[in-house]
Amino acid sequence: MAPPPANANLYAAFAEAFRRVPNQTAFQSPGVAPVTYGALHDKAERLAGAMVAAGIKPGDRVMVQAEKSIEQVVLYLATLKAGAVYNPLNTAYTPSELAHFIADAEPRLVVAPAARLAEIGTLAWHHGATGLWSLEADGSGELTERARASAPMASTCLREPDDLASLIYTSGTTGRSKGAMLSHGNLASNARTLLDIWGFVPGETLLHALPIYHVHGLFVALNTAFLNGSRMHWLDRFDVARVLTLLPDSDVMMGVPTFYTRLLAEPVFAADHCRRMRLFISGSAPLLAETHEAFTARTGHRILERYGMTETGMITSNPLTGERVAGSVGYALPGVAVRIGGHYFAQADDGRELPRGEVGGVELNGPNVFQGYWRLPDKTRAEFRPDGYFITGDQGIMAPDGRLTLVGRAKDMIISGGLNVYPAEIEQELSTIAGIGEAAVVGVSHPDFGEAVIAVLTPVGANPPDEAAILARLSGRLAKFKQPKRIFMVAELPRNAMGKVQKAELRKVYGETFKGKS
Ligand code: MCA
């Protein structure tokens, strides 16, 4: 008899790991009973059973916008198991931003707190949703009730490596977010590679304080923890006081640079907190060399900086053993080919690889590279070279030994506290406000968020709105992290001879806006 086909469903790999450590605590959270891997597996089987009973089919999108909870993780696992496509959304998105995601993803099931469902339910029905299940911050709601009442789904839906596992929205240069399609093969290959190169060993404890609506907290942290059977200290957000309490009982922490600057801002934070720690990892935004060095001086640990993108998962990493260089993102992951491509952002782009030591666009190929942008074939084609390399939009320089250093971004983008913000989207919103003529949005350095969004505007008419009125107007339309932290009015914007707004000039003029503040 022929052997059964191997199941590329990522949940099949998780289930294998869970079966090895059924009594190991998976999640430990303040004020909540610990959840073992055996219990987690049971919860995922029941919720998958409830989803299938409700008519969720392989390939259907399951959209969720909810506060971080263990039940939301169960939803992630159950969605994979049922062969559906997990589509998490930043909790900061407003209903007006959600309207785009709902129309674009056409989710079959939408999960959110009841209050949010009341706002977006009609639109979701209109776009084909057949289920709206509530999930509150404390884990209660229809989702949990249905799972509790359901029979477990014992089998795991058979999936091919290229079948979609997740749809993650990423902001776009033109203002509209695009859905990055990630397959079971993409996620599994990246997680297995990270498990190996970062040296995870069974019995370790991960301090998990990242949000789980994005690649970092969801795939980089959770997928590796699941394959390893790690125990997790589970925090709903980065609460520095709690982190200080839990660090002495942890082995690994993954964070955005803001985590590290916030720790360093605590005078009591010292090497003793890190006595058990094996590894601190940083990503999602550039880690300043001064933060890197200050952290080493305080704790004796060298933070391991790595580099990734929504579309590709992790791309490069500093080595576990070997030198972790401040300001460099390290070497291509095993199985991932990284090259510095032609100056595609300049007119002289001929698509050829540049010699090492020259600055150019970072491109890569490998099993981690996504399947394209959801329903945007032209956009997808434009981001790939004919030979299959993905064009990241970042500029970098590769040393002769393959070590990569990022030197800039080809795209007009801001990274605030590890979240990408595209000025075009905010400029578009600002331009719809009466009394505003032109708007230019730039990122300037910020001691807590790394970069902060600011807007420079020209007023028109007799009664232009003031800063408070503009922010009030934006608040219903743009997620908080995208809203300018400061707004400046000027008679006119600086322009070059071609009439293009000189954003570099604005960054210079307003560059010290947040100096010394936190
Ligand atoms: C919160 N605020 C922000 C941000 N977060 N403003 C700008 N940028 C932000 N990132 C707003 C809040 O709404 C609040 O406004 C004020 O700023 C202060 O909030 P605070 O309480 O300090 O925020 P927090 O809850 O402590 O969150 C800050 C944070 C968080 C810890 C930096 O944003 C975070 O966890 N970021 C990580 C994001 C992430 O996981 N990125 C990975 C993407 P007000 O006071 O007026 O209400 S994946 C990725 O990038 C790739 C693939 C990769 O390589 O990892």
Side-chain angles (χ1 to χ4, degrees):
M1 213 169 67
N7 189 355
N9 191 319
L10 179 60
Y11 191 79
F14 291 158
E16 203 182 300
F18 297 169
R19 273 192 287 271
R20 281 199 307 268
V21 287
N23 300 320
Q24 162 76 284
T25 296
F27 294 104
Q28 195 158 325
S29 192
V32 180
V35 177
T36 63
Y37 275 106
L40 185 66
H41 183 55
D42 179 64
K43 283 171 185 281
E45 287 202 331
R46 285 180 191 280
L47 182 56
M51 289 165 71
V52 171
I56 306 301
K57 304 250 175 333
D60 283 349
R61 273 77 60 209
V62 173
M63 180 179 279
V64 55
Q65 189 196 36
E67 294 303 328
K68 182 174 173 180
S69 69
I70 296 169
E71 286 70 19
Q72 195 184 334
V73 177
V74 174
L75 176 64
Y76 165 53
L77 295 173
T79 303
L80 292 176
K81 189 171 170 58
V85 179
Y86 190 65
N87 178 212
L89 297 176
N90 190 328
T91 42
Y93 288 135
T94 62
S96 110
E97 289 166 303
L98 288 183
H100 164 63
F101 299 126
I102 291 170
D104 191 55
E106 296 186 313
R108 180 75 61 202
L109 175 63
V110 179
V111 176
R116 186 40 67 93
L117 289 179
E119 293 170 311
I120 58 171
T122 310
L123 189 71
W125 290 125
H126 178 74
H127 285 282
T130 54
L132 300 178
W133 295 0
S134 61
L135 176 61
E136 309 302 330
D138 64 1
S140 65
E142 186 178 346
L143 176 127
T144 310
E145 291 310 317
R146 281 187 182 249
R148 205 171 281 146
S150 167
M153 174 186 174
S155 63
T156 293
C157 179
L158 205 59
R159 298 277 80 189
E160 298 289 335
D162 286 351
D163 284 334
L164 295 197
S166 188
L167 187 63
I168 305 272
Y169 279 96
T170 162
S171 316
T173 32
T174 52
R176 304 225 83 178
S177 291
K178 317 170 291 260
M181 300 189 289
L182 293 158
S183 70
H184 287 268
N186 292 148
L187 301 182
S189 72
N190 216 225
R192 288 195 176 105
T193 302
L194 299 178
L195 188 72
D196 182 40
I197 63 157
W198 290 342
F200 290 96
V201 286
E204 278 190 336
T205 297
L206 172 76
L207 204 168
H208 194 303
L210 285 159
I212 52 168
Y213 51 70
H214 223 307
V215 168
H216 197 165
L218 185 60
F219 302 142
V220 187
L222 279 182
N223 290 356
T224 50
F226 287 158
L227 290 182
N228 189 47
S230 302
R231 178 174 72 131
M232 279 177 264
H233 280 306
W234 186 247
L235 296 181
D236 53 4
R237 55 180 289 276
F238 185 83
D239 174 333
V240 75
R242 281 192 174 163
V243 169
L244 285 175
T245 316
L246 295 172
L247 270 178
D249 186 43
S250 305
D251 302 288
V252 180
M253 185 177 87
M254 300 184 190
V256 295
T258 301
F259 285 20
Y260 296 104
T261 50
R262 286 189 181 181
L263 278 171
L264 286 168
E266 295 295 315
V268 295
F269 175 57
D272 197 43
H273 288 98
C274 313
R275 55 188 180 262
R276 180 174 147 182
M277 285 296 294
R278 180 177 70 79
L279 188 58
F280 287 99
I281 303 172
S282 178
S284 309
L287 183 72
L288 293 180
E290 66 191 63
T291 308
H292 203 292
E293 299 307 344
F295 200 84
T296 305
R298 184 88 70 93
T299 67
H301 282 269
R302 300 286 292 164
I303 299 172
L304 182 150
E305 187 174 7
R306 54 61 177 180
Y307 161 57
M309 276 183 86
T310 302
E311 290 88 338
T312 62
M314 299 305 98
I315 303 168
T316 68
S317 172
N318 270 279
L320 183 66
T321 50
E323 209 186 344
R324 299 178 197 163
V325 177
S328 154
V329 291
Y331 302 93
L333 299 189
V336 178
V338 179
R339 71 185 182 197
I340 302 299
H343 301 276
Y344 62 87
F345 43 86
Q347 283 175 346
D349 179 12
D350 58 6
R352 271 184 307 169
E353 183 171 358
L354 294 178
R356 292 198 169 175
E358 278 191 33
V359 173
V362 179
E363 303 180 359
L364 74 144
N365 201 355
N368 53 329
V369 176
F370 74 142
Q371 311 298 303
Y373 295 110
W374 175 253
R375 294 180 177 166
L376 293 172
D378 292 344
K379 181 78 192 150
T380 301
R381 249 187 314 278
E383 306 279 323
F384 280 89
R385 294 289 185 191
D387 62 358
Y389 275 67
F390 175 65
I391 301 167
T392 63
D394 291 316
Q395 294 167 54
I397 181 164
M398 197 176 261
D401 71 347
R403 179 180 275 286
L404 181 68
T405 299
L406 299 177
V407 296
R409 299 169 207 142
K411 294 172 185 162
D412 189 11
M413 184 181 84
I414 301 164
I415 307 182
S416 173
L419 296 172
N420 294 358
V421 180
Y422 280 89
E425 183 183 3
I426 298 139
E427 288 162 0
Q428 262 165 36
E429 283 297 340
L430 287 166
S431 68
T432 65
I433 301 176
I436 293 179
E438 293 174 313
V441 167
V442 293
V444 296
S445 111
H446 188 278
D448 189 31
F449 294 123
E451 278 184 299
V453 175
I454 64 156
V456 186
L457 311 173
T458 61
V460 285
N463 287 313
D466 63 9
E467 186 167 3
I470 295 168
L471 289 175
R473 166 70 197 258
L474 291 181
S475 70
R477 309 190 55 84
L478 285 177
K480 188 84 206 196
F481 69 89
K482 297 181 195 168
Q483 293 172 29
K485 299 259 183 243
R486 283 301 313 275
I487 289 176
F488 299 96
M489 291 287 186
V490 293
E492 56 185 312
L493 295 174
R495 292 181 181 277
N496 66 13
M498 311 288 288
K500 195 169 178 294
V501 174
Q502 289 181 294
K503 291 203 165 178
E505 180 62 22
L506 292 176
R507 279 183 216 107
K508 210 156 76 194
V509 172
Y510 297 100
E512 306 220 324
T513 304
F514 302 102
K515 199 170 175 197
K517 298 184 185 155
S518 62

